[in-house]
Amino acid sequence: MSPKQQRGEATVEQLLDAALRVYAESGEQGVTVAAVTRASGVSLGSLYHHFGSVDGLMNALLTRWLGRLLGELLAALEHTRTAHTGIRALVRAYLNFVQEHRDAALLLHSPYADRQGMADGKRLRDTQEARLSPLAEWAGRHVAAGDLAPLPAPLLESLILGPVTAVARRWLSGVDDVDLDQAAVLLPERIWRAVAAQD
């Protein structure tokens, strides 16, 4: 990689990091060109060069952190042997991510992310195909082995991650009645009952 490319990558990282900080401090409305360039120390021209607009920057930020979350879920599955332990690992990895990367989790569970998912969900999924395919393959293997219920992949995904996402949203909203450590213990068993193949 040339020095120019290295500088370009460093600039991209600065802008993405600054955008997340601004988002965490000021919300979606606070993420403006002026706020991001001020927080990053990067010029207006560089922001437009790398991202085209604030929307382009926010889409890149969302894609970046969605990729990281999916990467952590995938890594958690690599250390499991059964569908049951896989469910436990997925739940714990998701909730750990939310606790460790609260600002990014706020973005991933935000109305902005919901709007992007509704408007451009196929593109978002396509950008994460390398991470989504192994997750789908994991579920498919366990369906074929008779461990998971023979449901369409999107339904299995919803049954496994839907409750975790709901708990994460509740915790991120500031509601003080959710203990993520307790949820990491209790949720996997409840989810397992919903997705396990019937004997």
Side-chain angles (χ1 to χ4, degrees):
M1 184 182 298
S2 72
K4 183 177 180 180
Q5 289 171 315
Q6 289 175 344
R7 285 193 302 275
E9 281 199 8
T11 299
V12 164
E13 291 299 310
Q14 277 180 268
L15 286 164
L16 289 170
D17 290 343
L20 184 60
R21 284 195 310 275
V22 171
Y23 178 84
E25 292 166 7
S26 307
E28 183 183 341
Q29 300 307 314
V31 182
T32 64
V33 170
V36 173
T37 54
R38 187 171 48 251
S40 66
V42 172
S43 72
L44 175 69
S46 288
L47 187 152
Y48 283 116
H49 170 73
H50 290 290
F51 297 104
S53 65
V54 170
D55 278 341
L57 174 64
M58 289 300 289
N59 283 335
L61 185 63
L62 186 60
T63 300
R64 173 202 223 191
W65 281 102
L66 179 59
R68 288 185 181 179
L69 171 58
L70 291 172
E72 290 194 19
L73 296 181
L74 192 55
L77 279 183
E78 290 174 2
H79 305 291
T80 66
R81 291 193 346 253
T82 68
H84 196 171
T85 57
I87 299 290
R88 190 176 307 127
L90 285 171
V91 172
R92 288 183 177 162
Y94 196 111
L95 296 178
N96 284 341
F97 178 93
V98 168
Q99 285 182 301
E100 291 172 14
H101 305 286
R102 188 178 191 281
D103 292 347
L106 277 168
L107 174 64
L108 290 173
H109 296 85
S110 69
Y112 175 82
D114 290 344
R115 287 194 310 275
Q116 289 305 111
M118 294 297 288
D120 205 10
K122 182 175 182 338
R123 184 195 61 79
L124 275 174
R125 288 189 76 85
D126 287 348
T127 62
Q128 302 302 330
E129 186 59 33
R131 292 179 179 94
L132 288 168
S133 289
L135 290 170
E137 288 166 11
W138 172 85
R141 279 195 311 274
H142 286 292
V143 167
D147 301 323
L148 291 176
L151 297 169
L155 293 184
L156 272 177
E157 179 185 321
S158 296
L159 285 169
I160 294 168
L161 293 180
V164 189
T165 303
V167 166
R169 284 179 185 272
R170 190 175 180 100
W171 184 78
L172 288 163
S173 73
V175 174
D176 199 21
D177 62 354
V178 176
D179 179 334
L180 291 189
D181 293 328
Q182 181 185 50
V185 172
L186 298 177
L187 273 181
E189 292 309 310
R190 297 293 178 169
I191 293 169
W192 173 247
R193 291 179 200 170
V195 299
Q198 299 300 312
D199 293 331

